[in-house]
Amino acid sequence: MCCERLKELCFTNCDFRPERGSSLILESCGSLEKVCLDKFTGLYDSDIISLSNKSRSLKSISLEQSWVSALTDASLKALGSNCPFLENVELDFVGFTSWSPSLITIEGILALINGCPIRVLVLKYARFLNDSAMETLSLAYPCLETLEIERPHIVTDLGIGFVVNFPRLVNLKITWCCSITNDGLKLLIGSETLHHLMIKNCPRISEQGVQGAARHVCYEQVLPRRC
């Protein structure tokens, strides 16, 4: 298979077990700039490491993992070491539960930060994301411009207050968070960089509570106010 000139690759509901041959595509593409792998199974650290070694011009990667995924921090460390142009990262852990936790931790995220100029970070269902992790990220991410967090169950008002420490953060989106209240958003008032704030389905935040937290705010509560 020859795909040396391929710039963008997207797989959905794909089985990467060796006998399926899907992983060979990642190994064969040397010019990829955007990779999107959604609801995959059978993908291992070795596949992502091969991808990072082969496609060093990678700029964007999106991974939606199932609970049978075997990816660990080693994958993020490889991307951080081998992909100096990586700017856009989305990690979705929707398939994981308390009894089948992801093997990716905040240490892996930090390793990614240290090697890549990440400007856009999207974290969904990331169980490692708590108040302490928010503080750590805010101090380690000098280039971050957009942060999106969905269902950060253990991020509270204290954690969201650390957003003001991001020196270049312009866009913030919070979706389905039951632990952040109007009081947490008050901590954002006065931020010199935050231009756009979007709050979606966060039952403990009111439309009045978002006012003044950013230059432009968007508030959506389309589902019942419950957690």
Side-chain angles (χ1 to χ4, degrees):
M1 179 178 295
C2 181
C3 53
E4 281 294 329
R5 296 184 180 180
L6 192 66
K7 298 291 186 181
E8 184 172 334
L9 181 66
C10 184
F11 283 143
T12 301
N13 293 321
C14 191
D15 191 336
F16 281 89
R17 285 176 293 181
E19 63 270 21
R20 301 291 183 177
S22 301
S23 59
L24 294 177
I25 299 177
L26 295 180
E27 298 174 5
S28 303
C29 301
S31 301
L32 288 174
E33 295 182 357
K34 182 177 181 180
V35 173
C36 180
L37 305 176
D38 290 343
K39 302 181 180 67
F40 56 82
T41 59
L43 194 68
Y44 294 91
D45 285 331
S46 58
D47 298 310
I48 298 298
I49 291 172
S50 295
L51 171 67
S52 68
N53 285 327
K54 189 72 173 180
S55 297
R56 293 179 177 267
S57 59
L58 190 66
K59 296 180 180 179
S60 175
I61 187 167
S62 175
L63 301 173
E64 181 180 331
Q65 304 184 77
S66 69
W67 68 272
V68 293
S69 169
L71 295 186
T72 72
D73 286 342
S75 291
L76 300 189
K77 291 177 181 178
L79 292 170
S81 298
N82 301 322
C83 302
F85 304 106
L86 186 59
E87 295 182 336
N88 191 323
V89 175
E90 178 174 344
L91 300 175
D92 189 338
F93 305 94
V94 66
F96 292 92
T97 65
S98 58
W99 54 268
S100 62
S102 167
L103 298 177
I104 288 179
T105 69
I106 189 63
E107 285 74 21
I109 300 293
L110 292 177
L112 185 64
I113 296 170
N114 291 332
C116 304
I118 306 297
R119 299 185 183 280
V120 177
L121 178 65
V122 180
L123 296 174
K124 299 180 179 181
Y125 294 82
R127 292 185 174 273
F128 57 78
L129 194 62
N130 53 26
D131 290 343
S132 177
M134 286 293 292
E135 180 180 20
T136 300
L137 291 177
S138 71
L139 297 175
Y141 256 126
C143 298
L144 193 67
E145 297 176 357
T146 297
L147 175 64
E148 297 184 17
I149 53 177
E150 181 174 333
R151 289 194 183 271
H153 294 300
I154 47 180
V155 174
T156 69
D157 291 339
L158 175 64
I160 207 64
F162 292 121
V163 164
V164 297
N165 293 335
F166 288 103
R168 299 183 183 179
L169 192 68
V170 177
N171 307 300
L172 174 63
K173 180 179 179 181
I174 307 172
T175 304
W176 269 118
C177 180
C178 297
S179 301
I180 300 175
T181 71
N182 291 343
D183 290 337
L185 295 189
K186 289 179 181 178
L187 301 175
L188 306 184
I189 296 177
S191 171
E192 297 180 356
T193 62
L194 193 60
H195 288 189
H196 302 278
L197 171 65
M198 181 172 184
I199 302 295
K200 184 175 182 179
N201 291 334
C202 296
R204 300 182 66 189
I205 297 175
S206 68
E207 188 169 5
Q208 292 73 27
V210 303
Q211 303 304 316
R215 297 184 185 180
H216 304 282
V217 297
C218 179
Y219 179 85
E220 293 185 23
Q221 185 68 43
V222 297
L223 296 176
R225 290 177 173 272
R226 64 173 183 266
C227 289

